[in-house]
């Protein structure tokens, strides 16, 4: 089992940058696929980005491709989301998620068993 704690959210102007972190407990962090999702007010939670256990494979939602970068440091049990060129529509609560082993549907929230509490990102225009 793994526990996830996000940090790094805040208020930023459009065009600015933020880096989110997700610290995971447990000795087997390196065997988990990690992902970021987000939920804006009044909307369903949506996929943002995911990274394989080794960090070699990443995948992004079209809405963030080229602006966001997901990475991980298995020695520190941490996954990151670097967010650049932020837009007001990026405003949401951002959640870190984890799943052990092979994941077939990497963009579906149902594929991930472990979730953090979320961190608020607000982008002002």
């Amino acid at each position: 089992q793994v526990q996830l704690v996000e940090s790094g959210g805040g208020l930023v102007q459009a065009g600015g940058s933020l880096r989110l972190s997700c610290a995971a407990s447990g000795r087997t962090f390196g065997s988990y696929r990690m992902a970021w999702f987000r939920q804006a007010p009044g909307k369903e939670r949506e996929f943002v980005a995911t990274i394989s256990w080794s960090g070699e494979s990443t995948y992004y939602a079209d809405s963030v491709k080229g602006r966001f970068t997901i990475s991980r440091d298995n020695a520190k049990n941490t996954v990151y989301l670097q967010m650049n060129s932020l837009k007001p529509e990026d405003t949401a609560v951002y959640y870190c998620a984890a799943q052990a082993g092979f994941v077939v549907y990497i963009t579906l929230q149902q594929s991930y068993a472990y979730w953090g509490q979320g961190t608020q990102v607000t982008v002002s225009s």
Side-chain angles (χ1 to χ4, degrees):
Q1 192 165 349
V2 62
Q3 293 183 325
L4 306 173
V5 179
E6 303 97 332
S7 61
L11 174 64
V12 63
Q13 288 189 332
S17 298
L18 281 175
R19 188 175 82 155
L20 305 183
S21 298
C22 173
S25 65
R27 302 178 184 177
T28 59
F29 173 77
S31 67
Y32 284 77
R33 170 172 287 277
M34 303 297 296
W36 288 95
F37 289 78
R38 67 185 181 185
Q39 187 168 19
K43 295 187 176 182
E44 293 186 354
R45 190 175 299 185
E46 65 175 5
F47 168 77
V48 175
T50 185
I51 188 166
S52 62
W53 66 270
S54 67
E56 293 182 352
S57 176
T58 59
Y59 187 77
Y60 299 90
D62 287 343
S63 59
V64 306
K65 199 172 296 182
R67 300 188 297 122
F68 290 11
T69 302
I70 188 171
S71 62
R72 66 190 296 162
D73 186 336
N74 287 344
K76 295 183 178 180
N77 280 15
T78 302
V79 63
Y80 305 97
L81 186 68
Q82 178 66 45
M83 306 186 295
N84 299 329
S85 303
L86 282 162
K87 305 175 182 179
E89 50 264 44
D90 294 318
T91 295
V93 177
Y94 283 71
Y95 297 91
C96 176
Q99 179 59 41
F102 181 73
V103 178
V104 177
Y105 302 107
I106 60 175
T107 66
L108 297 185
Q109 56 179 314
Q110 296 92 327
S111 295
Y112 298 86
Y114 305 102
W115 292 82
Q117 82 289 348
T119 185
Q120 176 71 46
V121 171
T122 303
V123 184
S124 63
S125 57

